[in-house]
Structures are given as structure tokens and as C-alpha cells.
Amino acid sequence: MSEFSLIINGEQRTVNVDSDTPLLWVIRDTLGYTGTKFGCGRGLCGACTIHLDGEATRSCVTSIDMVEDNSEITTIEGLSEDNPHPIQQAWLEEDVPQCGYCQSGQIMTASALLKRNPNPDETDIDSAMKMNICRCGTYPQIKKAIFSAANNAQSSTGGDDG
Amino acid sequence: MLKAVQGETMDRRDFIKVVSTAGSGFVLGFYIPYTNKLNGKTVAPIIFEPNAWIKVKSDNMVQIIVAKSEMGQGVLTSLPMIIAEEMDLDWSKIIVEKAPADQKKYGWQMTGGSNSVSGGYNKLRQAGATAREMFVMAAAQEWGILSSECKTHNGIVIHESTGRELSYGDLAKKASLQKVPKNPKLKAKQDFSIIGQNVKRTDTLPKVNGTAQFALDVQLDGMLYATVVHSPVFGGKLKSFNEASVNDISGVTNIFEIENGLAIVTQNTWAALKAKKQIEINWDEGEAAGLDSEKIRKDLLDASKEKGGVVRKEGNVKKALKLSENQIEAIYESPLQAHATMEPMNCTAYVQREKCQVWAGTQDPNGARKIASKITGLSKKQVEVNVTFLGGGFGRRAFNDFVKEAVEISNEMKKPVKLTWSREEDMQHDYYRPPSLHVMKGAFDQNNKLSVWKHRITAPSILFSQIVKMPFPFKEKVDIIAVEGAKHLPYKIPNIQVDYQMTKTLIPLGWWRSVYNSQNAFANECFMDELAEKVEKDPVQFRLELLPKSSRDTGVIKMVAEKSGWDQFKNGPNYQGISCHKSFGTWVAQVARVSVENKKVKVHEVFCAVDCGIVINPAIVKAQISSAIIYGLSATLKSKITIKNGRVAQYNFDDFEVIRMNEAPKIHIYLTESDAQPKGVGEPGLPPIAPAVVNAVYAATGNRIRELPIKLS
């Protein structure tokens, strides 16, 4: 067991875990943020996606000793402070989820995409989102929600509709 | 069933709060504190509980109980809509509550067969109408007028001529004293104001902010973690294990044998998953060790040479075949399929001396209760089964093997235990969609009219090998589930024979979204395409000529042909295929548009017409149909389970590949207007997709694909 300190959803935390423990299990079992899901354990399905210093990261294959001290981790619980993040708002408007299990991961991947590329085209969306599996097949609804979040962000910041 | 309840402390696990979100109307959110402590909160007292489904509170809020499992299909929205419609409720004042396992109170709670709405419709309308009528009686009594002078709207009884109004909350006490009406008046369809609307799902908010509680998210004080290693060969038994082989893993507390394999108990999930990979185990592999996919296929082929139990016989097939000079035969095959739900199997159980608590994402809560009672020796009353959200079901969670394991482990430890399977165990220890082989024969008379249809299904039986466990060979020659969609071929053909040859299997089988309909539709509708070609007919025209003009099959085929522009479409660079299949009471026709490049099939667009009777919530129906198309597309283009040396050869999503966003087609869904009883929507979208795509691939390549998933050589 070793001690690690990290910043999760803006909060400084210290954990005592085996150094090969994937972030996923530190987040879920040790810190109790259960919104991040276990799907495959091998970085194949994206259910465990979090933001590590703003980058979409598969937490099930990222062991805690690979993470630099005081790295910033954001989970679905910390994506927005009070109001829903534009991506979550779009998900609500489209009623995207079915079973819902993969949706935290989908939202984390999509929000990282929009941060990097505020106006993605269909190919950009496909290539970012193909990392995340949804067995309910909500892909059409997810795509629609990402476009709508991108458009909303553009119009609310006064950007052109492009 | 009538009782007035005096108040309630919030000690139940399903505490639900209402959240309003800007721009999207009211969304009902779930907040379910899974702790084993009371949270001490109180809510407004329940005043009136006319039946098992409805609880009216003094603050005008109405709790609606849903006794089906929410696995994505929208029952937490569609079932309350039915009650709210007949009860004339204000939708924004509804609290949705999930029922625990209680067969006495709620009846059949198994979620499956696409029957939550179709099976609940009449019962829930009745429940809502009964309550509504009792409010009217109470108001009439209060005002000293006749019930017939009253109207209801949005949770209020109105006396039209005087404009007086009383809310349901105000009337609750008086309503609870009324005689329960035997035949409350139900609304006419044209008066519906909730049914038929795109009401927002009640479970979206918790599913987008991470608070939705799946079984995997349950956390209890003092909880231990566990995983189970199952024999890699089906039916194998544990011989021995080397405990010292995991000595270097910290956090492993106990390792012991349970009925299904070896349980590893730990202080965190990671230790369990690591130990599972590392532990040395000797298995007695048993008789299945020699099994592989080639043998399974050969056994099916051999069995298909002999006639099975006949399930449909019309005309004289033998004679008609003799008279025909134009006939074709083809064999269609489908493989084993895994469910591969996103949430691997898991369950939390806490067995104590006098009670047992279970948290499970199960489609069969009462089955779970029964199993827990059997293992612990406690009465069913002492067993509490809390149904969480299900991270996908598709039939997999109708089996409670994971509940059994969790209860067994907690029973041994006498502590709360969360059991989590690895993805690999989930893939290799599923209850699989059975493999099947279909021998099809068709013949035309001298006028080129289709005169013969023969379909022999050869497949193991889920019912007799898994549910009603019987020694092989079974006395029963016919399994009515295995012939669903084959026996019920809609086309008018003078000579028809459909028979079923039941085979033996050592592989655990289960219900997979749409069950045997997925295979029978593939064989039927691809063979129809072959027959149409044989007489040089357009596939749509060929089907329509064999169907009564007013049939619902005709309705959806015509609709999808029109909406997709079937007649105007020019083949190249994309190509089209059509199919139609009825399952779970619902008719679905689909047109797929595909292209083939470098032997790779790309499905660009799917048009789909659906006749499911009355539509409760069009947005949810469309979402379900779209979901089934994509789920079915994985099995059409990518996934299959193969067996080698008695083991499943696939482990994870790299060798069991499924459709991802970049491969998902554009989907257009059209719902028919109908006054018929509402029928299933969770599964019926699936069966037509494989044949629609396969028929389009033929149009593109001239290759008849008769085996799934599609592989072009």
C-alpha cells in the first residue's frame, strides 16, 4: 500500500492503495464516486471514462502510480458545479439514455471532445465517440445531442452558426 | 385492497425527489440512498391507497409504483403514463417508485417478452380509473351533487356549473372511504391527453448526472467485495486450488468453493479481479471438454436430416412438390450469441440471522427472492430484494445465477458482500442465444405461384434444457418458443409445413432479445428474397401478392416501401433490401441501404415501419426500435460466440465486437395509427434487421449470405 494525493472534482484527497490499482477502483471503491462505471477492465468500452487534466481517459487501465501527484481528476459528479453542463443539458433534452449504464462515460468523452473541438463535424464525433460502446445503441441520440450542445454553445457565446 | 394510511417515515430505500429542469418540463429524479441506515427523512403522509399501484399524498403528490424492472425500455415512464391518463393526474405531480420483489402484492414481476405495457395496459388503466372515480364520488358527496355533474382534470375534480374545484389531495381522505367501483369508466382513445404524447422519461436526470443507482453502485457499511471464477468448461467442477498462489495480493480475505465455482472475497474490487487472474485452479472439465463449434454445427446438420415435431401443416406438401418443376432449397445458420450487457453481472447481498437483503439488477425479482430464501433457510418474508436500475438486460438478467452466488458468499461471511464478475467471466458464462439451422424449401406451380413452403428448424431448446430441466431426449417434440415467427409465417401459401427438430446441448442457453424470432426471421425473410428472385419479382411486390390486402403485414410493408422510396430508388453505389416480421404482437418492416467495399458491408440507412397498436409514448417506442436495430446489427455484421475445447473462445469487446457509433446507420422510424391494444416494442425491432441487410448485400454483390454474422469471401 502506498499513499497518493490527487485532486478529484476540485477536492484534494489522499488515498492509501496498492500502487497498481486502476483509477477506476480508487474512484469507485475508495472515494465512493460511483457514477464512473466498470465495463470491460481493458479500455475497450469507455464506460469508465473520466477527465485526467481535462483529457478523456480510460480509468480502468490507468493505474494510480501512472498519474502524477496532484493531477486533476474530473468524474461525472464533478462535470458541472450547479447547472448541468451543456452536454448534460443536451442529453436531457434528447432523452438520450436507455439503460443508462454507459452514459457517464459517453458524456465524459463527449464533453472532452467539445472542449477540444467546439464545432465538430460528423467524422470528428464518430472518431471520438467510437471509443464508447452502448449496447442499447443510443448512438443516433448521442450524436444528435452532441450537435445540439455544440450549436447551443456557439449561439450562447455569440459565435456564428457556421 | 382499500386502505387509508396514516403517515410514513422515510425508511424505504427508494426515496425519490422531484427535480425540475429548465426547458424540459418536469423530470422525475431518483435519489436512492443505498445505506443500511435510516436517513430519517419524512415525506407528506399517504392518505389514500386505492390499490397496489397508487398512493395519494396530502400534498397532492401521487406516488405511482412500477413493478417491472427498468433496463432501458422506459417502463418507469410508460407504465405511470397509463395510470396517470385514466386517473387524470397532473404529470408534474407524480413520483415514480420502484417496487421491491413482492409477488403477492404486484403479481408477475418478471420483465421480459416485451410485455410490460401489453400485459399491464388493461390492469393499469383500471387501477387509474378506479381511483379517479373514487375522487369524483368523494367530491359529489362533499358538494351534495351527482357524480355525473363532475369532471376531472390535472388532479382536480371540477363541478362545471358552479365552477367549484377540489384537488385530489383535499379529497384523499374522503375518497378512501368510498366504495370501490367495480367497473369504472375508461376513456375513449380520442380523449387521451397523456397516452400518445412524447412525455419525457422519468429516469433521464439521474442517468446523466451519475446518481442513478445500478447494483454495482450499492455501498454498505462494512461491505466486503468478491468475485467468482467459474469452470472454463461448461459443467466442469472444481478439483483443487492453490491459495498460496495469491499470497502476494493484499486485501484477499477468504477463498472458498461455492456451487458455481470458486469465490474470492477481498477488501476491494481490484484485489478480487487481480486474484481471479492469478489464482491456480484445477478443474475437472467433464464431458463438455470435447465440444467445439464445428461439432455443434455438424450435430445440427445431422439432426436436420430427420423430420421433427410438426407445428404447422397445411395442404399437401409432398404432392405439390411432385407437381412442381421450379423449386429451391437453402440452409440458413445462426451462431451462439452473448448478451454482453454493459454492466457485468453483479449483486450485493447481506445475510443476517433473521433477514437477508439483496440489491440486484434482475429481470426476475421474485426468482431472486426464492433463491435467497432457499440458500439461507429464511422465509421469503425475511428476504428483501431491491431492484436497482439494470445496466442492460436483453434477457440475460432473467437468470439469477449472480444473485445465488452473492447470497451464498454473504451467507458464508455473514457480512454484506458485493459480488462483481469480470467482463471475461460475463462473456464466458452467459446464457447464450442458441445456435440454429434452418432447412428451407420452396416450390412454384406451373403458373409461377408459390405453392410450397417448408421450414425445418433445428436447434436446442431453451425451455427444456434450461428452464424445465429434462433428460434428453425430451418426450416433448415441440417447443412453442423455438418456432415463434416460423410457425406464424404470414404469407398465404397453399402447402405449408413447419417442423422443429430439438437437439441436445451442454451449453447454457437463455432468452436473447427477441429469442428465436431473431433466427426464424433471418431464415424466412432471406428465403423470401431468394424465392422472389427465382420468379423475377420485386421483393416488395412478391410479398404483397402473398398477403391479404387489409392485413397489418401489408400495412407496414407498404408504409416502409413508401417512406423509403423503394420503387424510385436506383441501386448503386448503395443497395437496398427489405424484410418484415411480426413478433411479440408487433409488426415491423424494414428497408436497409448498404454499400460493400473491400468485402466490408456498411449499413448507411434503415427505414422502419412499426405497427404496435396504440402507442403509449412515441419517443420511447422509436428509441426501443432503434435500439433493437443496432443490437441486431451487431449480430448481423460482427459478433458471435464460438466454442473451442468446451470453452467460449471470446473474452471481451476486442474479440466479441459490437457496433460502435461510426458503424451505426441513420435510422428512420414510422409508427402506424392504430386503435388496437398496445403490444411489445422492446424486441420486435430486432428480427427484421439481419434479413433486410443480408438481402441488400445480395443486391450489392450477388452473394447469398446464409450464415451470420455476414462474412464476404
Side-chain angles (χ1 to χ4, degrees), chain B residues 290-306 331-335 435-439 458-460 501 503-504 507 643 707:
Chain B
L291 198 60
D292 61 43
S293 287
E294 274 316 299
K295 185 174 179 334
I296 292 169
R297 185 179 188 181
K298 190 176 172 298
D299 288 351
L300 287 176
L301 197 60
D302 289 348
S304 75
K305 305 236 154 76
E306 280 184 46
I331 294 178
Y332 285 86
E333 293 171 81
S334 19
S436 66
L437 188 140
H438 308 254
V439 182
T458 306
Q501 180 65 286
T503 59
K504 185 187 177 179
I507 297 163
I643 306 293
E707 197 188 330

Side-chain angles (χ1 to χ4, degrees), chain B residues 95-107:
Chain B
I95 301 171
V96 180
E97 186 185 324
K98 286 187 272 187
D102 191 344
Q103 195 159 0
K104 272 199 185 134
K105 193 163 182 186
Y106 305 109

Side-chain angles (χ1 to χ4, degrees), chain B residues 534-678:
Chain B
K534 190 82 180 147
V535 290
E536 294 171 359
K537 286 231 164 118
D538 171 75
V540 168
Q541 215 43 48
F542 182 68
R543 283 170 172 79
L544 290 177
E545 283 170 15
L546 293 167
L547 291 165
K549 280 203 169 53
S550 61
S551 76
R552 292 167 83 177
D553 311 85
T554 300
V556 288
I557 291 174
K558 278 190 165 167
M559 189 179 202
V560 82
E562 188 209 309
K563 297 285 186 187
S564 67
W566 174 271
D567 288 336
Q568 297 78 43
F569 181 78
K570 298 267 178 290
N571 273 329
N574 295 350
Y575 296 82
Q576 63 180 359
I578 187 163
S579 73
C580 177
H581 188 80
K582 179 200 175 191
S583 59
F584 307 94
T586 292
W587 283 262
V588 181
Q590 292 173 5
V591 168
R593 298 250 164 87
V594 315
S595 66
V596 180
E597 215 175 305
N598 300 326
K599 309 208 183 303
K600 253 196 100 152
V601 177
K602 169 132 183 98
V603 181
H604 297 272
E605 254 179 319
V606 176
F607 296 85
C608 180
V610 180
D611 178 356
C612 61
I614 288 173
V615 174
I616 307 300
N617 184 322
I620 291 179
V621 172
K622 287 182 182 176
Q624 280 306 293
I625 297 292
S626 167
S627 164
I629 288 172
I630 291 174
Y631 197 85
L633 209 49
S634 287
T636 305
L637 297 176
K638 309 191 88 171
S639 68
K640 70 169 167 181
I641 288 292
T642 56
I643 306 293
K644 209 178 168 188
N645 301 327
R647 298 156 163 81
V648 166
Q650 289 70 31
Y651 292 86
N652 209 317
F653 288 118
D654 53 348
D655 45 19
F656 186 85
E657 290 187 73
V658 298
I659 294 289
R660 291 170 182 264
M661 184 181 278
N662 56 320
E663 300 152 317
K666 296 209 166 25
I667 298 173
H668 314 274
I669 297 162
Y670 310 94
L671 310 178
T672 57
E673 273 291 326
S674 172
D675 292 334
Q677 283 273 308

Side-chain angles (χ1 to χ4, degrees), chain A residues 28-29 37 93 95 136 139, chain B residues 200 204 216-217 269 627 659:
Chain A
R28 288 182 55 87
D29 288 357
K37 304 301 187 204
E93 275 157 23
D95 252 357
C136 299
Y139 305 124
Chain B
K200 290 274 179 193
T204 300
L216 199 78
D217 305 330
T269 314
S627 164
I659 294 289

Side-chain angles (χ1 to χ4, degrees), chain A residues 18 20 22 25 28-29 34 37 39-40 42 44 88 93 95 98-99 101 122 130 133 135-137 139, chain B residues 72 200-201 204 207-208 216-217 219 250 269-270 274 339-340 423 623-624 627 652 654 659-660 666:
Chain A
D18 279 347
D20 64 350
W25 300 112
R28 288 182 55 87
D29 288 357
T34 54
K37 304 301 187 204
C40 69
R42 285 188 43 213
L44 300 167
Q88 287 170 311
E93 275 157 23
D95 252 357
Q98 290 187 25
C99 93
Y101 191 79
E122 191 164 0
K130 74 179 181 197
I133 296 174
R135 284 292 271 162
C136 299
Y139 305 124
Chain B
K200 290 274 179 193
R201 290 180 65 121
T204 300
K207 287 178 177 176
V208 304
L216 199 78
D217 305 330
Q219 285 178 308
S250 62
T269 314
W270 177 236
K274 254 201 308 188
H339 297 84
R423 169 59 61 191
Q624 280 306 293
S627 164
N652 209 317
D654 53 348
I659 294 289
R660 291 170 182 264
K666 296 209 166 25

Side-chain angles (χ1 to χ4, degrees), chain B residues 133 158 171 198 219 258 323 368 461 516 578 705-706 712:
Chain B
E133 206 148 302
I158 303 155
L171 288 165
N198 288 324
Q219 285 178 308
I258 57 171
L323 289 172
S461 160
Y516 294 91
I578 187 163
I705 304 295
R706 299 195 182 93
L712 288 167

Side-chain angles (χ1 to χ4, degrees), chain B residues 86-105:
Chain B
E86 288 294 348
M87 204 170 153
D88 263 339
L89 290 177
D90 177 349
W91 184 251
S92 68
K93 293 204 167 71
I94 287 166
I95 301 171
V96 180
E97 186 185 324
K98 286 187 272 187
D102 191 344
Q103 195 159 0
K104 272 199 185 134
K105 193 163 182 186

